[in-house]
Amino acid sequence: MLNDKFKNYIHLHFLVFIAGFTAILGELISIGSTALVWYRMLIAGVLMFLYIKIIKLKIQVSTKTKLKFFGAGIIIALHWITFFEAINQSNISITLAMFSTGAFFASFIEPLIYKRKIIWYEILFGMIVILGVFLITQSEIKYLNGILLGVSSALFSTLFAVINGKFIKEHRATVISFYEFVSGVVFLSLFILVFQGGFSTAFFVLSTSDWIYISILASVCTAYAFIGSVDVMRHLSPYTVILTYNLEPLYGIALALLLFPETETMSTQFYYGAFLVLATVIADGILKNYNSRKNRKSLAHKTN
């Protein structure tokens, strides 16, 4: 049993490493962010459909439910577009540091959607996150566009995660994801047709390296990572999964420094700010787990 748990823990860290590697692929792929996300969602959607057929999963849902999934699909498409565009406008380190502000947004979005009280330490942590972002902005003002896009990406990501948290209580994660990928492709196709002059021949002519990187992004970093994370959550506690995924920016920034030292080496003040943001995110996860365990023990004591 212990051996199986250890294997799942290693698998979880591999999935987090893959998540961090997504930013590296965003740097390597030469096409625009909208086209990149269109290809990502299309290929991932096709792979997800094949997986559904292989396991013979029923995906029929009501029209009302489909519309909800479609709305979430548009949000995740906007998250990915702003994420990759932030990399284009700044670099990987800036983007991932800003992506960590998602925990700050969650402290306000979660109470609104789940109708719960705002926890006092979430406000405190939110202020620390703002201080971290301020330090980063002051030291890297030349990357202001990338910073704003990175924060926007974190906001969309948090909104998507909170909404999906409600969906997962009633529907299979694979079904949810499939419809979200489909809606994302439809939304982006309409956006390209209306605002970017439509699909030209050049849109479908990619370099060999771009095809390889996009294929890895859609298959390994999207379809496989999603299915793998669902499987891991069956064997490890939600706290372990969530806290470990908070290490994604650390993996990503470390990889970026290793692979692109010329563009990714930042000022000392940036690392102070990034440390504040990341440390706050991890502290938030630890406190939430402590309070959750405390509440469960208290409930069990009352029951007995």
Side-chain angles (χ1 to χ4, degrees):
M1 181 64 73
L2 187 62
N3 189 40
D4 287 341
K5 190 171 184 178
F6 179 73
K7 286 180 180 178
N8 280 290
Y9 191 66
I10 295 298
H11 187 200
L12 173 60
H13 273 276
F14 179 63
L15 292 170
V16 176
F17 175 83
I18 288 173
F21 191 68
T22 299
I24 304 297
L25 292 172
E27 177 71 23
L28 293 171
I29 296 169
S30 64
I31 63 175
S33 55
T34 303
L36 169 55
V37 177
W38 185 87
Y39 275 108
R40 179 183 191 175
M41 298 190 86
L42 176 66
I43 297 171
V46 170
L47 292 173
M48 193 67 72
F49 180 73
L50 293 174
Y51 175 72
I52 288 169
K53 286 296 182 183
I54 291 170
I55 65 173
K56 297 179 181 178
L57 179 66
K58 293 181 180 179
I59 62 171
Q60 290 82 6
V61 294
S62 67
T63 301
K64 184 180 178 180
T65 301
K66 283 181 185 176
L67 290 174
K68 290 180 180 179
F69 291 164
F70 287 171
I74 292 171
I75 292 172
I76 193 62
L78 291 172
H79 155 58
W80 280 336
I81 288 172
T82 49
F83 180 80
F84 290 119
E85 189 58 31
I87 293 173
N88 292 338
Q89 295 283 337
S90 54
N91 60 23
I92 296 169
S93 297
I94 289 285
T95 302
L96 289 176
M98 294 301 100
F99 183 68
S100 301
T101 61
F104 165 66
F105 290 120
S107 66
F108 296 98
I109 293 174
E110 249 186 59
L112 284 174
I113 292 181
Y114 288 99
K115 294 181 173 57
R116 68 163 175 83
K117 292 181 180 179
I118 295 176
I119 303 170
W120 69 268
Y121 64 75
E122 290 182 336
I123 301 297
L124 175 62
F125 285 163
M127 294 172 66
I128 297 173
V129 166
I130 291 172
L131 175 60
V133 172
F134 175 76
L135 289 173
I136 291 170
T137 305
Q138 288 297 301
S139 63
E140 307 296 340
I141 192 67
K142 62 182 178 181
Y143 294 129
L144 182 60
N145 287 344
I147 289 170
L148 294 175
L149 284 164
V151 171
S152 300
S153 178
L155 175 59
F156 286 128
S157 175
T158 304
L159 185 60
F160 173 77
V162 174
I163 292 172
N164 253 19
K166 298 196 78 173
F167 292 160
I168 203 70
K169 293 178 181 178
E170 300 178 15
H171 305 279
R172 287 281 295 268
T174 306
V175 175
I176 297 169
S177 194
F178 171 71
Y179 282 113
E180 288 170 347
F181 289 153
V182 170
S183 65
V185 173
V186 172
F187 167 71
L188 291 174
S189 296
L190 291 173
F191 180 84
I192 292 167
L193 287 169
V194 175
F195 296 104
Q196 296 189 345
F199 294 92
S200 63
T201 305
F203 184 91
F204 299 100
V205 179
L206 306 182
S207 66
T208 303
S209 60
D210 277 346
W211 276 119
I212 292 171
Y213 294 142
I214 288 173
S215 297
I216 294 171
L217 177 66
S219 58
V220 179
C221 299
T222 308
Y224 164 74
F226 173 79
I227 295 168
S229 63
V230 172
D231 181 64
V232 160
M233 282 190 283
R234 294 194 184 102
H235 305 281
L236 300 174
S237 70
Y239 165 71
T240 300
V241 175
I242 293 168
L243 191 61
T244 306
Y245 262 98
N246 286 334
L247 298 175
E248 175 190 339
L250 291 177
Y251 282 134
I253 291 172
L255 277 171
L257 281 170
L258 184 65
L259 297 174
F260 312 110
E262 306 85 7
T263 58
E264 295 295 333
T265 302
M266 312 297 290
S267 65
T268 303
Q269 192 168 319
F270 165 83
Y271 293 109
Y272 287 151
F275 173 78
L276 273 179
V277 173
L278 292 169
T280 302
V281 170
I282 293 172
D284 180 64
I286 292 171
L287 263 177
K288 276 189 170 62
N289 178 66
Y290 171 77
N291 288 333
S292 177
R293 288 182 177 179
K294 188 178 178 181
N295 291 336
R296 284 199 299 270
K297 286 181 180 178
S298 177
L299 184 62
H301 180 72
K302 288 179 182 179
T303 304
N304 293 331

